[in-house]
Amino acid sequence: MIAARKRTVAVLGATGTVGQRFVSLLAEHPWFELTTLTTSERNAGKRYADAAHWHLSEPIPERARDITLTPTTDDLDAELCFSALPHEAAVEWEAGLAKTGHHVFSNVKTHRMDGDVPLVIAEVNPEHLDALRVQRKRRGWSGSIVANGNCSAIGFSLATAPLHRAYGIERALVTTLQALSGAGYPGVASLDGLDNVVPFIREEEEKLVEESRKFLGGWDGSRFAAAAFEMSASCNRVAVRDGHTEIIALTLRGSPSLLDVTATLRGFRGKPQELGLPTAPRCPIVVREEPDRPQPVLDRDVERGMAVTVGRIREDEVLGVKFVALSHNTIRGAAGASVLNAELAVAEKFV
Ligand code: NAP
């Protein structure tokens, strides 16, 4: 699929962990033209290459190197704004940008659970974008906000959506092993992260549960209805650089066989695959049969970091079925998912 015209785009919070992923994904994007990079006041006026403490293995894209960083304001010269702001800055700017006609694709928690803000995984609940009609009318905005979930909620929801759709989840238990980059930069102090597991991430378990229920729930044309299954989450920070691992156990209606569960996950495709969107993975869920996969170092970059890798699908004596899911937290769990949401919104003429 080819977009009718290129849209100008800004990255808000461009120097940070997620901001850098956005810059990397957008610099040569076929539908979007990267024009604006924002920062806090302390780096405003600097060249991007001088201000960003670059963490990715590929070099800073040529297109971004010489862009002069601007403070975040609500009159940015860009049609689409990809937000990787800290929450406090998002509170200050995201709604203002939408009011002044910008289409904001946010990675921040600020508006995720608002009753008129679609919280979207492009393969899972593309129909939730319809909420933008209600949002614009209710708030009087000419722009919009589409939210991206918390990184562990995206991994869980993408890996379980085909099963919820095919059978219905009755109960879910998830334990996460989350990468250090999920805390941003500088994030977790090295003495806390190295050789360690920290069994607490502030607000993470609450976000994982409530956002997953919104992703997997419905939209009836005027309101969202949360998916009604019971869910328990335990979140841990582990000494891994990138890639969140999630140990998931489910009770599914009708107790499908392991063969059926595996085939359902393997065969899953969504709207991005149907439309051939530029950032879409060919297979959003990759199933591995080896007993020791997925592993972050081996599997996080599958499909350019846009697939969830699932392995160890087996019976669970307590809940029914269990497996392990791995997703790249700053790509599928953040910037990549948000770019895919924007491609979907453009393709479906919501923006
Ligand atoms: P980070 O590494 O701490 O980066 C945040 C960046 O925002 C900083 O580089 C800061 O840099 C910049 N900033 C601060 N105030 C600003 C303002 N007013 N305008 C523009 N930029 C400003 O954090 P992160 O991990 O990238 O996370 C960014 C957001 O994404 C957070 O809300 C986080 O919860 C969310 N998120 C993160 C992940 C993940 O895996 N890391 C996943 C999903 C969602 P300067 O001072 O140089 O401007």
Side-chain angles (χ1 to χ4, degrees):
M1 180 168 184
I2 299 170
R5 62 179 180 85
K6 271 202 162 188
R7 316 282 175 124
T8 51
V9 305
V11 176
L12 318 181
T15 57
T17 309
V18 175
Q20 293 186 16
R21 283 286 176 201
F22 271 126
V23 169
S24 160
L25 291 166
L26 292 166
E28 301 298 331
H29 195 282
W31 297 5
F32 303 138
E33 189 183 346
L34 185 60
T35 56
T36 307
L37 301 176
T38 83
T39 177
S40 63
E41 294 291 342
R42 77 186 176 102
N43 278 321
K46 292 185 187 161
R47 211 173 135 251
Y48 185 64
D50 295 334
H53 184 59
W54 190 254
H55 287 113
L56 306 184
S57 49
E58 70 267 22
I60 301 181
E62 275 307 315
R63 187 182 293 274
R65 296 187 71 81
D66 295 325
I67 293 181
T68 301
L69 288 163
T70 58
T72 310
T73 60
D74 57 15
D75 61 353
L76 296 176
D77 187 15
E79 294 166 86
L80 272 53
C81 295
F82 291 97
S83 173
L85 293 171
H87 168 63
E88 300 69 24
V91 169
E92 193 173 355
W93 297 114
E94 288 186 352
L97 280 158
K99 191 175 177 191
T100 52
H102 303 81
H103 300 293
V104 179
F105 291 87
S106 177
N107 279 261
V108 192
K109 66 177 180 181
T110 315
H111 296 288
R112 284 178 191 154
M113 297 308 294
D114 290 4
D116 56 1
V117 171
L119 178 71
V120 175
I121 299 173
E123 288 91 345
V124 171
N125 58 340
E127 69 282 3
H128 286 202
L129 282 178
D130 180 59
L132 292 179
R133 282 187 307 100
V134 175
Q135 183 189 101
R136 284 181 191 137
K137 203 164 154 196
R138 193 180 291 168
R139 306 216 196 197
W141 291 347
S142 50
S144 57
I145 298 179
V146 174
N148 204 16
N150 165 279
C151 37
S152 56
I154 293 178
F156 174 85
S157 301
L158 182 52
T160 59
L163 302 174
H164 189 54
R165 199 179 284 177
Y167 311 107
I169 298 173
E170 284 180 349
R171 287 191 295 171
L173 185 66
V174 55
T175 301
T176 70
L177 310 171
Q178 298 185 216
L180 296 169
S181 63
Y185 188 82
V188 182
S190 57
L191 279 182
D192 291 333
L194 208 66
D195 186 29
N196 205 10
V197 172
V198 181
F200 174 68
I201 305 174
R202 191 169 302 284
E203 294 181 4
E204 194 78 359
E205 291 166 0
E206 295 83 348
K207 287 188 215 164
L208 173 47
V209 172
E210 66 173 10
E211 292 177 22
S212 297
R213 289 193 178 129
K214 187 169 176 181
F215 280 131
L216 299 176
W219 165 254
D220 70 2
S222 60
R223 62 178 55 83
F224 297 106
F229 53 82
E230 292 172 34
M231 181 166 171
S232 168
S234 303
C235 294
N236 305 279
R237 187 75 69 196
V238 299
V240 166
R241 189 183 168 101
D242 290 313
H244 289 355
T245 301
E246 304 189 32
I247 322 294
I248 298 170
L250 303 173
T251 302
L252 297 171
R253 276 193 203 101
S255 307
S257 70
L258 294 182
L259 275 179
D260 286 344
V261 166
T262 306
T264 302
L265 291 172
R266 195 168 261 150
F268 179 64
R269 303 287 182 279
K271 232 351 130 33
Q273 289 69 39
E274 190 188 301
L275 296 171
L277 300 178
T279 304
R282 279 164 307 148
C283 293
I285 299 175
V286 172
V287 178
R288 303 289 304 219
E289 286 178 356
E290 302 90 323
D292 58 354
R293 302 288 281 272
Q295 296 179 23
V297 281
L298 300 177
D299 298 306
R300 63 190 165 207
D301 293 323
V302 166
E303 295 266 16
R304 295 163 292 128
M306 285 299 288
V308 173
T309 302
V310 170
R312 302 211 66 214
I313 302 172
R314 60 208 194 282
E315 275 175 20
D316 181 66
E317 212 176 295
V318 179
L319 290 189
V321 61
K322 61 184 170 186
F323 53 85
V324 180
L326 170 83
S327 56
H328 196 304
N329 53 297
T330 64
I331 305 178
R332 184 76 239 199
S338 214
V339 172
L340 190 59
N341 283 346
E343 292 168 0
L344 179 67
V346 169
E348 302 274 81
K349 302 194 177 7
F350 281 104
V351 302

